[in-house]
Amino acid sequence: QVQLVESGGGLVQAGGSLRLSCAASGRTFSNYACAWFRQAPGKEREFVAAISKSGGNTGYRDSVKGRFTISRENAKNTVYLRMNRLEPEDTAVYYCAARQTRETSIRQSDYDSWGQGTQVTVSS
């Protein structure tokens, strides 16, 4: 399976921006649909955004629509999550995930490759 490593997390003030990166290795990245999930302390892990293997189709949870953008550069084996107008409620560990299909999914169980996460903290 593909190996995934997230980066780009950090501390930012509300209203600020961050761009997360997910670097893939081990298998042909263009064969994988990818997604971002997040988990806040004491909360269940939740879907954030997904992208098809070609990058042609994307989807987002309602609370981040218009603020977050998922994209990918297959030539660089990397998927991104650009986060604008961040809110304290966005504070969580963000995880990159991949599945070997062109179709996207919002279900954690549909993804079999996971990164170890990167912390995003948004202060008031």
Side-chain angles (χ1 to χ4, degrees), residues 32-55:
Y32 290 80
C34 296
W36 289 94
F37 293 80
R38 66 187 182 186
Q39 186 169 24
K43 302 291 186 180
E44 296 293 322
R45 189 175 297 184
E46 64 184 18
F47 168 78
V48 178
I51 189 166
S52 61
K53 66 180 184 179
S54 69

Side-chain angles (χ1 to χ4, degrees), residues 91-102:
T91 295
V93 176
Y94 283 70
Y95 298 89
C96 180
R99 63 190 300 236
Q100 195 169 359
T101 175
R102 72 174 186 270

Side-chain angles (χ1 to χ4, degrees), residues 10-105:
L11 176 64
V12 64
Q13 290 184 255
S17 299
L18 286 172
R19 189 180 75 164
L20 306 184
S21 298
C22 175
S25 62
R27 300 293 295 274
T28 303
F29 182 62
S30 60
N31 289 340
Y32 290 80
C34 296
W36 289 94
F37 293 80
R38 66 187 182 186
Q39 186 169 24
K43 302 291 186 180
E44 296 293 322
R45 189 175 297 184
E46 64 184 18
F47 168 78
V48 178
I51 189 166
S52 61
K53 66 180 184 179
S54 69
N57 292 308
T58 60
Y60 304 87
R61 70 179 298 108
D62 286 345
S63 63
V64 308
K65 287 180 180 177
R67 299 191 297 120
F68 291 11
T69 303
I70 188 171
S71 62
R72 67 193 296 161
E73 294 185 68
N74 286 345
K76 296 183 178 180
N77 287 355
T78 303
V79 62
Y80 304 96
L81 184 68
R82 185 171 66 250
M83 305 183 293
N84 296 325
R85 291 179 280 124
L86 283 161
E87 304 168 354
E89 292 74 22
D90 296 318
T91 295
V93 176
Y94 283 70
Y95 298 89
C96 180
R99 63 190 300 236
Q100 195 169 359
T101 175
R102 72 174 186 270
E103 301 294 336
T104 60
S105 173

